[in-house]
Amino acid sequence: MRKIYLHKRFDSFLIMVACTALSFFLLLTSNVSLKINDTQAMGKEVINRVVQESDNSNLKIGVKLLEDTGLEQTLLEQLPKKYKIEMSYADLYRLCEKYNEKGELSTKDLGLTSKTKLEEIINDYLIKQINNKLDEKSEEISHVITIYEYSIFGIGLLFLLAAILIIFGRALASIPLAIAALGSFAALWIFSNEAMTSLQSRVYSGILVTLSSNIWLGLIIGLGTAIVWPFLIKIMKRIK
């Protein structure tokens, strides 16, 4: 009987540790997605913004000529039907390192590629607006990046602490696990909302930045494990 109890205890603890690891993996590696469902409308808006912000009269004449001849629409139709950039918590950490090194981001850092000249213009404009936003609040951004860089290690340590406490059968494991799951989710949530608000106002109103279903799943698994764990400990003690 004692042997059966120990075996069940070991299996239960192993499942809880596996759930903790899965939550950490999903929250760290799942993507925040930037989506544009109407690239032609975005392309048109970007062209208009570039023209408005430029002092080059030749550029304005050139764009007007493209409109009059119908070539602008031909160029817009060459854009891919949809536009999507995906980035995980780990990717954001690497971007923070890149920004600290160079003081700006490039299209390469965001994985932006272009097959046509218009795509190149759009990508360049997008990265320009991102860098402008970073420059506007450079001091604040610097503090945020520092916190963000350290937070990824802090969250990793909290998940590790939770797993160790579970192995030793401590009900307190729920506290670091809940904090880690909520903290990492909150960081991604805040980033996605800030990014969407800024890009909608500066680039194109139809830009959507969303959290993938796996991020939500990671949060649910983490919080679910944190809630179930203390009750499981009580049940195991009663069985004993």
Side-chain angles (χ1 to χ4, degrees), residues 122-236:
I122 291 170
N123 288 339
D124 287 343
Y125 186 79
L126 178 62
I127 202 69
K128 177 188 172 184
Q129 295 308 315
I130 291 171
N131 282 323
N132 285 345
K133 180 68 174 178
L134 293 173
D135 288 340
E136 277 179 17
K137 300 184 176 181
S138 58
E139 191 172 334
E140 181 183 332
I141 292 294
S142 180
H143 291 307
V144 170
I145 286 175
T146 300
I147 293 169
Y148 194 86
E149 286 182 325
Y150 282 109
S151 73
I152 196 168
F153 293 107
I155 287 169
L157 287 173
L158 285 171
F159 273 109
L160 179 61
L161 176 61
I164 292 171
L165 289 173
I166 288 173
I167 290 170
F168 284 98
R170 302 295 177 86
L172 284 174
S174 292
I175 297 174
L177 180 54
I179 293 172
L182 282 171
S184 52
F185 178 83
L188 291 169
W189 176 267
I190 292 169
F191 166 78
S192 64
N193 279 279
E194 285 289 327
M196 183 166 67
T197 301
S198 180
L199 291 172
Q200 283 181 346
S201 64
R202 289 168 174 267
V203 181
Y204 172 57
S205 57
I207 290 177
L208 296 175
V209 182
T210 58
L211 302 180
S212 71
S213 58
N214 280 343
I215 291 176
W216 288 95
L217 182 59
L219 174 67
I220 292 167
I221 292 173
L223 290 181
T225 304
I227 293 168
V228 169
W229 173 243
F231 293 101
L232 183 61
I233 288 290
K234 288 182 181 180
I235 292 170
M236 295 302 291

Side-chain angles (χ1 to χ4, degrees), residues 16-30:
M16 292 293 101
V17 171
C19 287
T20 300
L22 181 59
S23 175
F24 174 62
F25 176 78
L26 289 173
L27 287 167
L28 186 71
T29 62
S30 298

Side-chain angles (χ1 to χ4, degrees), residues 105-125:
L105 297 176
S106 67
T107 52
K108 186 179 179 182
D109 294 332
L110 288 177
L112 299 174
T113 57
S114 53
K115 294 180 180 178
T116 66
K117 188 63 179 177
L118 184 55
E119 281 184 88
E120 185 181 336
I121 291 171
I122 291 170
N123 288 339
D124 287 343
Y125 186 79

Side-chain angles (χ1 to χ4, degrees), residues 87-102:
M87 203 167 294
S88 68
Y89 201 114
D91 292 328
L92 289 173
Y93 174 77
R94 285 191 287 272
L95 276 184
C96 289
E97 288 189 318
K98 290 284 186 183
Y99 181 75
N100 278 337
E101 286 174 14
K102 301 184 293 185

